[in-house]
Amino acid sequence: MSAYLDHAATTPVCPQAAQAAFQVMTEEFGNPSAQYAPGREAAGRLRERRAAVAAALGCAPEELYFTSCGTEGDNWSIRAAVQHGRRVGRHIITTAIEHSAVLETCKALAAQGYEVTYLKPDRRGHVSIADLEAALRPDTVLVSMMLVNNELGTLQPVRQAGELLRRTGSAALLHTDAVQAFLKVPFTPAQLGVDLLTVSGHKIGAPKGVGAQYIRAGLKLSPLLYGGGQENALRSGTEATAQIAALAAACQAWQADFPQRMAQIRDYALTALSSVPGLEIVSPGDAPHICAISLPGYPSEMLVRELSDRGVWVSSGSACHKGRPSHVFAALGLPKRTLMGVLRVSFAPSTTPGEIDALRESLVEITKSRIAMR
Ligand code: PLP
């Protein structure tokens, strides 16, 4: 039996999404900008699909822009926010545990003279509002704080960050990368008090290559792409109608009890895996679908390979390669042996106890057949 336990990396496309995409590709293939009937029909469908995704996100359709992925939304948000604040200053605050789509964009801006403050997490993977308050300056133009960390499953205090910015009268815009939070934890952009929010389709049963970007009504931002004026002239380019249809269908197919189902299987996993000799829980996950574990003394890369040979697929963390631990786990200040043996395990609503048992049994086998490094 195989066990796919890396749903935070990507999810299989749900049948409703695949069918919706197929129908658009083969039948509703008109260009939404065309003035004749198939074009007008495509434009109408696009409006319906924007409304469906906006409803799932809890915002107005006019606040929702289709993108190609979460990386695009993160890049756009950060670059447009610093452009927006150009008369205020050149200071950005983010966290040390963001996805590389945020960190690398900040790094590129730092090379252009922006100053970036990275909030450090505590041992359990949470950044603090007190640290944010201490870092905030009159010239801060952007706070970018993810909602759910992709390797730890920890929730970050985005709502409190919004409250802080309002209370202090800060001119900084607030962006959240909600790629791992969308449909997994309850929120709306308005509840969080964010100006910008990024999500991605392939984490929720839509195909890769489609995402959505929330821009608060009334916020005037610079376009990401110039051209034919699509997406309210902020992101030109003929709309990816098939992917967008799939994203809307995936949102509609998502059921209200999915988070609860994932939380149940996560709790089952945490209990089952605790019986593996030597195993440590690095993060039990605040979000229902991600947790992190470690087998100190067993390098993650080896574990991933050995598990894969047994048909069990988990991740060693998004940036862990060539013996280097991911920046997220490194930021926790874990002991070296724990750090080197970290694995991320992530779930779908369809994940079964049998898949968890396969992971547990394989880990037990590996610890029996290989001697831990000191
Ligand atoms: N942000 C987070 C937190 C993610 O987990 C990911 C994907 O793993 C991304 C951004 C990038 O999204 P995409 O793969 O759609 O570019």
Side-chain angles (χ1 to χ4, degrees), residues 227-357:
Q230 293 89 347
E231 299 297 300
N232 204 19
L234 288 184
R235 189 199 182 268
S236 288
T238 303
E239 298 86 346
T241 49
Q243 281 97 328
I244 290 168
L247 175 59
C251 289
Q252 286 169 325
W254 192 266
Q255 290 170 24
D257 71 339
F258 278 6
Q260 194 194 336
R261 276 157 64 175
M262 291 189 288
Q264 272 165 4
I265 200 75
R266 177 204 56 200
D267 292 347
Y268 178 85
L270 290 171
T271 307
L273 295 172
S274 296
S275 69
V276 176
L279 188 137
E280 291 175 14
I281 306 292
V282 172
S283 172
D286 306 318
H289 64 304
I290 302 176
C291 66
I293 58 173
S294 173
L295 262 184
Y298 295 90
S300 314
E301 277 179 89
M302 180 277 283
L303 290 172
V304 169
R305 221 176 28 248
E306 292 262 339
L307 288 169
S308 174
D309 289 347
R310 292 166 170 81
V312 176
W313 301 305
V314 298
S315 139
S316 56
S318 69
C320 181
H321 52 247
K322 299 200 176 76
R324 257 185 338 121
S326 110
H327 65 281
V328 174
F329 296 118
L332 298 187
L334 299 170
K336 188 149 181 268
R337 288 177 84 241
T338 306
L339 181 61
M340 298 311 287
V342 162
L343 294 175
R344 172 181 72 180
V345 188
S346 55
F347 316 101
S350 57
T351 303
T352 63
E355 288 179 289
I356 305 297
D357 295 345

